């Protein structure tokens, strides 16, 4: 895997928004003027190349500023082609000469924004993630809802509810929440998130698939319990469960639970479910993902193949975690190939509550050395904590440079609903690192450090 030359933040800054007649350009180094944005931040560069967004300067996007309500209205207006001519609006607190006034009035006329109960718009207030869901679902006329559940949003299927708005954008592939089944509707919206969501709404190539996470493990209390396609007896039965069958609950809709038992996923009456027997190991259950495999060798240098190193270390980590009483699921235990999406799917389907992908780094410069661990800020703080606990132990055990903990958009962590990290053990292209990666002693040291870091994470979780 290639080294990352700069720290990436997936959050955009509040930016000045402009419209142009430019079509979609290819995303390349030549079309990326920002020092704080990588070519892997395709959604951001897609909007920039369309002329829909600008940075806070010619060379800085500024990835952590909040989005105001007027900025959100302007970007949405430009994205869907509303009339942006500055003019008087329905709202007394919007200055007719403001760049945003035309877009605000057009969005109001289209029913995209409604303002506040006191008749104001409050253009300079920070928008929340919940407000964003309403804005996007209306602006892009999203109609379809699915079996989507979030721990921090009460299920309410009314057409005007927050749940319905968030459900629509999740079903449309615009958002997959903030990790571990949460959406964080009251959190302030930042530009990185907003621009990413707008790009996904505009371009199907950027869409993500929302995956529910387990909120509760229950058991079936009767024989012949119907699993239905929807939350009422009017829906078709797709299977039956008997007494004692485990049922992973993803969410509740009234008196019905949606979840999975074995290969069957659907709705059952929650009246026939009861608490599962406690299993301490299940509270500490991680997926290990040895990167590459099969026809994909990964990086190759100094007589080594990345896929072999990744698998060797992962197996050692698995053994050490099991000795600590931590349950482990392996996306692969042999030399086979799985797509990145399949790896995420397998981890989520396992019922695990964390995910670690194990890799070996490579760089054109053979002097590059050391370990680094990545997380994606798009799935919440737990991912950063997992990455930090692992990195803090790994570089010391390997006795080489500490390249730090970094926010980056690798697919297996960016699209993962679980707390997820990706660790780079060392550089296969560096002779010094490679000699360690070939050594059974250092593989064991790396595995011990990673296992201890994962244990640190679970100990931290138990206190928070």
């Amino acid at each position: 895997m290639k080294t990352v030359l700069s720290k990436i933040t997936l959050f955009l800054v509040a930016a000045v928004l402009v419209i142009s007649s430019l079509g979609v350009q290819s995303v390349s180094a030549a079309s990326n003027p920002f020092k704080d944005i990588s070519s892997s931040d395709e959604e951001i560069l897609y909007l920039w190349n369309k002329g829909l967004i600008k940075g806070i300067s010619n060379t800085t996007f500024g990835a952590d500023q909040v989005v105001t309500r007027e900025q959100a209205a302007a970007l949405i207006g430009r994205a869907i082609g509303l009339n942006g001519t500055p003019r008087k609006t329905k709202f007394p607190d919007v200055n007719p000469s403001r760049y945003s006034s035309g877009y605000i009035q057009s969005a109001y006329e289209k029913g995209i924004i409604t303002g506040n109960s006191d008749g104001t718009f409050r253009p300079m207030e920070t928008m929340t993630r919940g407000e964003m869901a309403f804005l996007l679902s209306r602006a892009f006329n999203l109609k379809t809802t699915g079996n989507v559940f979030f721990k921090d949003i009460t299920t309410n299927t009314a057409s005007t509810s927050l749940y319905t708005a968030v459900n629509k954008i999740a079903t449309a592939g615009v958002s997959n929440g903030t990790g571990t089944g949460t959406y964080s509707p009251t959190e302030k919206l930042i530009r990185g998130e907003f621009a990413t969501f707008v790009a996904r709404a505009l371009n199907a190539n950027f869409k993500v698939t929302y995956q529910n996470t387990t909120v509760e493990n229950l058991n079936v209390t009767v024989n012949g319990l119907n699993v239905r396609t929807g939350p009422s007896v009017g829906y078709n039965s797709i299977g039956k469960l008997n007494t004692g069958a485990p049922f992973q609950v993803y969410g509740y809709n009234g008196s019905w639970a949606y979840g999975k038992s074995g290969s069957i996923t659907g709705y059952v009456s929650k009246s026939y479910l009861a608490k599962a027997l406690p299993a301490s190991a299940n509270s500490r259950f991680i997926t290990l993902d040895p990167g590459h495999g099969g026809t994909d060798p990964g990086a190759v240098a100094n007589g080594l193949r990345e896929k072999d190193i990744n698998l060797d270390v992962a197996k050692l980590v698995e053994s050490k975690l099991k000795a600590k009483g931590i349950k482990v699921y392996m996306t692969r235990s042999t030399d086979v190939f799985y797509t990145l999406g399949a790896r995420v799917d397998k981890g989520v389907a396992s019922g695990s509550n964390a995910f670690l992908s194990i890799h070996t780094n490579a760089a054109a410069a053979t002097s590059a050395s050391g370990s680094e661990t990545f997380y994606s800020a798009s799935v919440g703080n737990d991912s950063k904590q997992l990455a930090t606990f692992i990195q803090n132990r790994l570089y010391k055990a390997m006795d080489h440079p500490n390249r730090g903990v970094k926010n980056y958009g690798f697919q297996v962590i960016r699209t993962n609903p679980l707390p997820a990290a990706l660790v780079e053990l060392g550089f296969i292209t560096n002779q010094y690192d490679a000699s360690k990666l070939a050594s059974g002693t250092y593989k064991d040291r790396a595995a011990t450090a990673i296992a201890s870091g994962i244990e640190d994470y679970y100990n931290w979780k138990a206190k928070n």
Side-chain angles (χ1 to χ4, degrees), residues 163-181:
Y163 170 78
T164 298
V166 175
N167 189 318
K168 287 177 180 178
I169 66 171
T171 301
V174 172
S175 172
N176 56 5
T178 50
T180 60

Side-chain angles (χ1 to χ4, degrees), residues 229-306:
T229 57
S232 82
V233 294
Y235 289 90
N236 292 332
S237 173
I238 54 176
K240 294 180 182 293
L241 302 174
N242 292 321
T243 301
F247 193 83
Q248 294 173 243
V249 179
Y250 297 145
Y252 294 97
N253 188 340
S255 62
W256 293 80
Y258 178 75
K260 180 179 181 181
S261 183
S263 60
I264 303 175
T265 301
Y267 288 87
V268 301
S269 171
K270 68 179 184 181
S271 299
Y272 304 110
L273 297 175
K275 289 285 186 182
L277 294 174
S280 58
N282 287 343
S283 65
R284 302 195 301 170
F285 182 11
I286 190 167
T287 290
L288 295 181
D289 172 44
H292 306 281
T295 56
D296 174 16
V300 178
N302 288 307
L304 302 173
R305 298 184 302 184
E306 180 185 355

Side-chain angles (χ1 to χ4, degrees), residues 72-74 76-77 80 82-83 87 91 100-114 121 135 138-139:
I76 288 294
I80 63 175
L82 296 182
N83 177 8
R87 61 192 185 276
F91 307 106
S100 61
S101 62
Y103 293 115
I104 291 171
Q105 181 62 19
S106 293
Y108 169 75
E109 292 169 357
K110 294 285 187 181
I112 296 171
I113 60 176
T114 58
F121 182 69
L135 182 64
R138 293 167 181 163

Side-chain angles (χ1 to χ4, degrees), residues 385-401:
Q385 293 295 333
L386 175 61
T388 300
F389 283 123
I390 291 170
Q391 179 63 22
N392 284 347
R393 287 188 178 266
L394 179 61
Y395 80 90
K396 296 173 186 175
M398 295 297 284
D399 190 26
H400 62 198

